[in-house]
Amino acid sequence: MAETDQPDLMTAEKTDPVLAAVRRVWGYDSLRPMQRSAIDAAIEHRDCLTVLPTGGGKSLCYQVPPLVTGLATIVISPLIALMRDQVRGLELNGYPAAAIHSGVELDDARDILRRLTLGELNLLLVAPERAVNPGFKSFLASLADAGRLGAIAVDEAHCISQWGHDFRPEYRRLAELREVTPKVAMQAFTATATPRVREDIARQLGLREPEVLVGTFDRPNLTYRVRARRNPAEQAAEAVRNHQRAGDGGGTIVYCLSRKDTEWLAEGLTKLGINAEPYHAGLNEKTRRDIEHRFSNESLDVVVATVAFGMGIDRSNVRLVVHATMPKSIEAYQQETGRAGRDGEPAECLLLYSPTDATRWERLIRMNNAEMGADDEATEAQLGLVREMRRLVSSMGCRHRMLSEHFGQTYTPPAGMHSCGACDVCLGETEIERDAKRIGQIILSAVARTGQRYGAAHITDIVRGADTEKIRSTGHDRLTVHGMLKDHRKAAIASYIDQLVTAEALERVVDGHFETLRFGPRGVAVMKGEEEVPLARPVGTGSARSERRRRDRVTDAAPMSFDEKQLFEKLRGVRRDIAVEQSIPPYMVFSDATLRELVRVRPDSLNAMLAVKGVGQAKLDAFGDTFLTALRNG
Ligand code: ADP
Ligand code: ZN
């Protein structure tokens, strides 16, 4: 065929080798904005620091340049499990890659280095402690001298900073790599957005005028919900069942604060007919590996875990993340919820909140820090993070907007929409309290009458008319406000107080271990009824009937017809068979998003299948016929 007879696609690919490689290897037809810039920086030998949220697509940024330049990229990666998965995933795409870590035999490692020198291999993943050993460093130097080294990429680069949440001392030595290969570009990647950590990374790695690329932190495919915690096992079970009914076939992670919590909650779920396993750092290595393995090969769908579960988990179709307790910071929340919907398909994040969560964290932080001899400044910083998190859950603002703003970004709703359409507040799942004005007045009076010296728990007891020892001994049962809000649940009052704090009618004063409430700038006006703070009633504190009405709406956002669901299930079966045969997790064959796209498009030829997002040439060759047959008979 003459050059001019070739289809347009080919011409476009000729002029854009980056896109051509992405299409051929991964079957994606476009790059996300920051990916493009990060890839260009590597190709042009410039240092760069890329900040993208979990699931934002960091790996492509260092995987693509070697395909274009033909030069090697060395990737520093902290976890063996992730390295193995990545290499396996790349191989399935026909992309030669290798990893060197403690599980690799010396001879194999030598062979890998030889292939790198010869240019047969262009991507090597290596653990940080290996990367800085003298032998490896001199190998790198010789690779660079031979003009074969394109870039050094540092994944999870926040591990270098003690201000980050995953400090690893061995990361500190990575600057040594720069010393032995002074001309090679260094690329750092992280999902941690705080400026302090960012600066720390750039300084400690010795990045040279790095281009700093910060992606959008909003995850539009996630729906955030906060519910008052009543019975966590039942509430979590119900959310899991909703997803099972929607037939999304995804996984669920339920995060708990303590090991004990994971155990009783997993037991509670099992009693309710949901097959769930607890996971925490106290289990032995073998049990942990086994659960991780079953979760990623989809023979186990629900894991009840502490935050120890996550770093090594790459299942891309987690459809539900439940927090049984409020996490200790917005950063932690963003990271943990970030494990939902990594395939870009809709997923739900449900946080079960009780006002006691914050107190529990505060106690834990003080205790831990006292044990470790941390200074007051560090303790205060952590307590500040807890308070910010509490503000996020108790305020009735859009969750997407509040999260974005926390990470210093302005939130824009999806095109053509006035709100996010993906949080409980914007979905109208919280009820507006009609009696807000009176409630505000009563709570503020209670604070005023008791001399602005008590905490939220005692104020709640007063207005609910509780008969506690403290109430009797202070004589607060004789106040006129005593019992004036007796029809409201405890959690509702606690939330109103939080909302009054957010609206600056009240302020929290922390004195030692005690937290008391006093008037904020708007306090007097609200108490006198001159101003009104609109209050929302948190879901879970209303009547049973309104709960039930709402429940029906908590379903999957991408509706499939009955036939489509059946075909999707069939393709999942095909995928599972292939996965078992090749001993790989199913998502490595094709993601859920790709299966859904196959159901939607129903390609009837290999060529048509190649146009589906997520189908690259190597996977088409390997699995195309099998899926085509399934689709034809579907
Ligand atoms: P991160 O390392 O930032 O958490 P990954 O690199 O694992 O994220 O990517 C998350 C998911 O997004 C993966 O399934 C990946 O294949 C997919 N992905 C990455 N880039 C693109 C793209 N340009 N188009 C479509 N999907 C992409
Ligand atoms: Zn919203």
Side-chain angles (χ1 to χ4, degrees), residues 28 30-32 35 53-60 314 342 613:
Y28 299 150
S30 59
L31 281 166
R32 298 171 181 163
Q35 284 180 326
T54 311
K58 287 182 281 297
S59 8
L60 226 58
D314 213 11
R342 290 184 68 152
K613 196 164 156 181

Side-chain angles (χ1 to χ4, degrees), residues 5 45 117 135 158 194 245 253 255 266 281 320 341 360 370 378 391 442 466 511 542 566 579 589:
D5 286 332
H45 306 289
T117 320
H158 57 273
T194 59
R245 263 201 297 278
I253 306 175
Y255 279 114
L320 173 66
R360 202 169 158 200
R391 211 171 71 79
I442 294 171
D511 179 13
Q566 276 195 321
V589 179

Side-chain angles (χ1 to χ4, degrees), residues 63-356:
Q63 291 164 347
V64 172
L67 293 173
V68 177
T69 59
L71 301 178
T73 289
I74 307 296
V75 185
I76 315 299
S77 176
L79 275 183
I80 297 184
L82 283 187
M83 284 190 236
R84 280 202 190 112
D85 278 4
Q86 192 172 140
V87 169
R88 193 76 186 93
L90 284 170
E91 281 170 355
L92 284 167
N93 281 328
Y95 181 130
I100 294 185
H101 47 73
S102 54
V104 175
E105 301 285 334
L106 198 61
D107 280 351
D108 292 335
R110 266 200 211 109
D111 189 50
I112 289 170
L113 299 187
R114 189 184 56 81
R115 286 164 60 210
L116 267 168
T117 320
L118 294 176
E120 291 172 19
L121 193 63
N122 283 332
L123 193 78
L124 172 68
L125 288 86
V126 55
E129 57 279 5
R130 304 253 142 187
V132 294
N133 89 19
F136 191 82
K137 281 197 298 190
S138 65
F139 168 77
L140 268 193
S142 66
L143 203 61
D145 286 345
R148 286 271 317 114
L149 186 59
I152 296 174
V154 181
D155 204 5
E156 311 287 357
H158 57 273
C159 294
I160 207 168
S161 171
Q162 58 176 342
W163 307 112
H165 45 81
D166 275 319
F167 177 50
R168 285 161 187 260
E170 66 272 22
Y171 259 68
R172 281 287 164 84
R173 291 186 53 200
L174 291 177
E176 295 171 22
L177 301 182
R178 156 118 296 162
E179 285 159 26
V180 297
T181 60
K183 293 205 187 92
V184 174
M186 216 164 199
Q187 318 257 298
F189 297 91
T190 179
T192 305
T194 59
R196 189 175 208 175
V197 173
R198 231 184 268 168
E199 281 157 26
D200 221 14
I201 294 172
R203 194 169 37 82
Q204 299 214 41
L205 280 179
L207 300 185
R208 283 183 299 241
E209 299 174 25
E211 184 168 357
V212 179
L213 302 164
V214 184
T216 310
F217 267 72
D218 184 52
R219 300 278 313 275
N221 61 321
L222 302 187
T223 297
Y224 299 104
R225 290 190 165 86
V226 179
R227 296 276 192 271
R229 182 171 68 241
R230 281 168 295 132
N231 181 331
E234 252 171 39
Q235 287 171 292
E238 187 183 305
V240 171
R241 277 195 217 105
N242 277 328
H243 282 266
Q244 287 173 344
R245 263 201 297 278
D248 59 27
T252 296
I253 306 175
V254 182
Y255 279 114
C256 295
L257 195 153
S258 73
R259 297 175 185 187
K260 216 171 68 212
D261 289 353
T262 66
E263 282 170 0
W264 69 256
L265 195 49
E267 201 181 300
L269 282 171
T270 309
K271 278 196 189 124
L272 292 167
I274 300 213
N275 184 17
E277 293 277 5
Y279 180 106
H280 53 75
L283 299 172
N284 66 43
E285 173 87 7
K286 191 175 158 300
T287 313
R288 288 209 323 258
R289 295 294 156 264
D290 175 61
I291 293 172
E292 285 166 7
H293 185 69
R294 282 161 56 210
F295 188 70
S296 60
N297 74 19
E298 303 191 358
S299 58
L300 172 68
D301 280 333
V302 183
V303 175
V304 185
T306 60
V307 292
F309 187 71
M311 262 284 248
I313 303 304
D314 213 11
R315 181 166 172 174
S316 66
N317 66 345
V318 172
R319 296 265 79 86
L320 173 66
V321 168
V322 179
H323 279 90
T325 315
M326 181 187 87
K328 66 175 173 185
S329 66
I330 296 182
E331 283 74 14
Y333 182 62
Q334 172 82 1
Q335 198 183 32
E336 286 145 30
T337 53
R339 294 182 184 124
R342 290 184 68 152
D343 54 8
E345 297 283 292
E348 186 189 352
C349 309
L350 172 66
L351 194 161
L352 303 175
Y353 169 68
S354 155
T356 53

